[in-house]
Amino acid sequence: MAIFPSDDGENDLFTSRTDPESEFSTYAPYRFHLEGREWPTVEHYFQGMKFTDQVMQEKVRQAGSPAEARKLGRKRHQSFRKDWKQVRETIMTRGVYTRCRTHPDLAKALLGTGDQKIVENSNFDYFWGCGRDRRGENRYGRVLMNVRAKLREEQG
C-alpha cells in the first residue's frame, strides 16, 4: 500500500486487490462467515458467488489459495450467474464489509484512512482498478470507501 499525491494535491491511498500482504486486499487471509459458510478470503467468496451451483461454489470455497479461487471463478460454467454484472459490486461490498465486521483490526485500519481516496492500483483492470492511464472506474476503491463510510456511520 502506498500513498501518492494526486493531481489536485490530496493524498490518494493506492492498494492492490491481489496483494496478500495488504490488509485491504481480497487475497488477505482473513476468514469470515457469510452465506452459511466460512470463506478463507474475500476473493474466495467473490469468485464462489459467481455460481448458482452449490458444488461449484464449494469447489471455489475450498480452493487452496485466492489465486486458485480466482482461476476457478474465471472459468465459464453452466451455473455461472446470468446476473453477475448486475450483482458483482454488491457481492464484493458484502464480502469486504463482513470481513471488516469479523476482524475489528481491519475495520480500524480502514477507518484510519480518514477521508483519503482509495485507489485499486491495477494497470490492466479498468472496472475494479484505475487502469494504466488512471481513468478506470476504480470500483474496488469505491467499495472500500463505501464500507469505510458504513463503518463510520455505525460508530455513531
Side-chain angles (χ1 to χ4, degrees), residues 23-34:
E23 57 202 347
F24 301 139
S25 164
T26 61
Y27 279 36
Y30 291 94
R31 294 182 168 277
F32 60 93
H33 287 272
L34 195 55

Side-chain angles (χ1 to χ4, degrees), residues 12-126:
D12 291 350
L13 181 85
F14 283 73
T15 189
S16 170
R17 234 175 55 244
T18 59
D19 177 3
E21 301 299 317
S22 169
E23 57 202 347
F24 301 139
S25 164
T26 61
Y27 279 36
Y30 291 94
R31 294 182 168 277
F32 60 93
H33 287 272
L34 195 55
E35 310 289 343
R37 289 175 274 183
E38 183 180 70
W39 299 90
T41 67
V42 170
E43 191 69 27
H44 283 80
Y45 172 71
F46 177 76
Q47 298 299 337
M49 291 297 102
K50 288 181 175 179
F51 302 99
T52 56
D53 176 10
Q54 295 293 315
V55 173
M56 279 302 295
Q57 281 185 7
E58 188 62 16
K59 188 174 182 179
V60 173
R61 190 182 77 80
Q62 291 188 15
S65 69
E68 185 182 330
R70 185 177 188 182
K71 186 176 180 180
L72 288 168
R74 289 183 155 191
K75 289 183 180 177
R76 290 282 174 171
H77 184 269
Q78 66 257 22
S79 71
F80 201 82
R81 292 176 71 140
K82 301 204 182 338
D83 66 346
W84 182 243
K85 285 193 175 189
Q86 290 78 35
V87 301
R88 62 185 170 175
E89 203 165 343
T90 300
I91 298 289
M92 183 68 82
T93 301
R94 190 179 297 149
V96 171
Y97 174 77
T98 303
R99 179 180 66 177
C100 284
R101 297 291 291 149
T102 303
H103 300 278
D105 55 321
L106 292 176
K108 184 178 178 180
L110 188 55
L111 287 166
T113 63
D115 291 325
Q116 280 183 296
K117 180 180 179 182
I118 303 173
V119 179
E120 158 46 9
N121 192 25
S122 173
N123 285 334
F124 306 104
D125 190 334
Y126 280 76

